[in-house]
Amino acid sequence: MINIDKYDFFIFDCDGVILDSNKLKSNAFTEALPDEPPDLVAEFVEYHKANGGISRYEKFKYYFEDMKKQVEAEAKIEKALNNFAAIVSQGLISCNYIPGVLEFIENLFKLNKRMFVVSGSDENELIQVFIKRGIDHYFEKIYGSPANKAENTSKVVSNMKKPIIGLFFGDSKSDYDAAKKFGMDFVFVKDYSEWENGLEITDHKNTISSFEKILLT
């Protein structure tokens, strides 16, 4: 049960929290590297799943510079980024919402609650997706990469004019770490997450399967 009145503002991650898009992103990381060794790409995708919320820029940089030990890999990184963007752009517009999340956001909006998005997705891409889906107006700001989760959470918190209490809905360790860094409560949205040990790290009492049966007070 979540006491809505306790909180002055709410932060939502996107993939796995608002949109059912984690599998879309994981598949896109594979498809964005068609000429790379399959075994290495499979290892890279596992790295991606274990590091949800980190931007695609950092992940492809890690693949070419750390996993493949390539120097001057900028052109290959850029090509992979372009491939990735082409694959996910339409998918983000057409994929399903996490069950119940739209109704939950609409209820908060009716209560005049302040809401923000802090995502690892490309910021400009995400804003356009939210505009096309007709949900951008619910949020004061939509933040994404290349800035990381902590940096973007800091932007939200620094705009608050008084000490206030926030709640972060996330599905990755980067979400959890950002919330804790800025003293926010955290709710783990688990059923569509790829964070394997999320339940071990987060408080089970602050875990929801989706927003479908979330109880408000």
Side-chain angles (χ1 to χ4, degrees), residues 138-157:
Y138 292 124
F139 304 99
E140 287 191 32
K141 289 285 186 181
I142 298 169
Y143 293 113
S145 61
N148 63 38
K149 291 283 180 76
E151 291 167 341
N152 283 329
T153 303
S154 176
K155 293 175 187 176
V156 174
V157 174

Side-chain angles (χ1 to χ4, degrees), residues 1-129:
M1 188 172 289
I2 297 175
N3 182 1
I4 291 299
D5 290 336
K6 175 182 176 182
Y7 300 102
D8 303 291
F9 70 100
F10 299 80
I11 292 178
F12 294 80
D13 177 41
C14 179
D15 299 317
V17 174
I18 296 177
L19 300 180
D20 183 10
S21 46
N22 276 327
K23 289 182 180 179
L24 167 71
K25 294 286 184 73
S26 293
N27 291 338
F29 275 107
T30 299
E31 294 172 22
L33 298 167
D35 301 321
E36 295 296 316
D39 290 349
L40 195 61
V41 172
E43 182 182 339
F44 171 61
V45 171
E46 291 307 309
Y47 162 81
H48 151 70
K49 290 179 179 179
N51 293 275
I54 297 176
S55 79
R56 67 190 69 173
Y57 309 97
E58 292 300 318
K59 287 177 178 175
F60 283 121
K61 187 173 185 291
Y62 175 84
Y63 176 78
F64 286 105
E65 295 184 359
D66 291 83
M67 294 182 68
K68 294 199 73 178
K69 309 296 184 185
Q70 293 187 350
V71 295
E72 298 182 359
E74 289 81 4
K76 290 189 175 182
I77 294 171
E78 187 66 24
K79 182 179 179 181
L81 286 168
N82 290 337
N83 290 344
F84 185 91
I87 294 164
V88 303
S89 57
Q90 185 58 42
L92 288 174
I93 295 170
S94 60
C95 67
N96 293 328
Y97 288 104
I98 297 300
V101 71
L102 195 55
E103 294 79 5
F104 180 73
I105 289 170
E106 288 172 346
N107 286 335
L108 293 182
F109 188 72
K110 290 175 184 176
L111 293 171
N112 296 313
K113 294 295 184 179
R114 303 179 69 180
M115 291 182 284
F116 302 83
V117 174
V118 171
S119 172
S121 298
D122 176 85
E123 185 171 300
N124 293 329
E125 177 184 88
L126 192 60
I127 290 171
Q128 291 305 309
V129 167

Side-chain angles (χ1 to χ4, degrees), residues 165-185:
I165 302 173
L167 180 62
F168 198 130
F169 290 98
D171 73 327
S172 69
K173 190 172 186 300
S174 63
D175 297 330
Y176 176 80
D177 289 343
K180 293 306 177 185
K181 181 174 182 178
F182 294 97
M184 296 180 63
D185 288 345

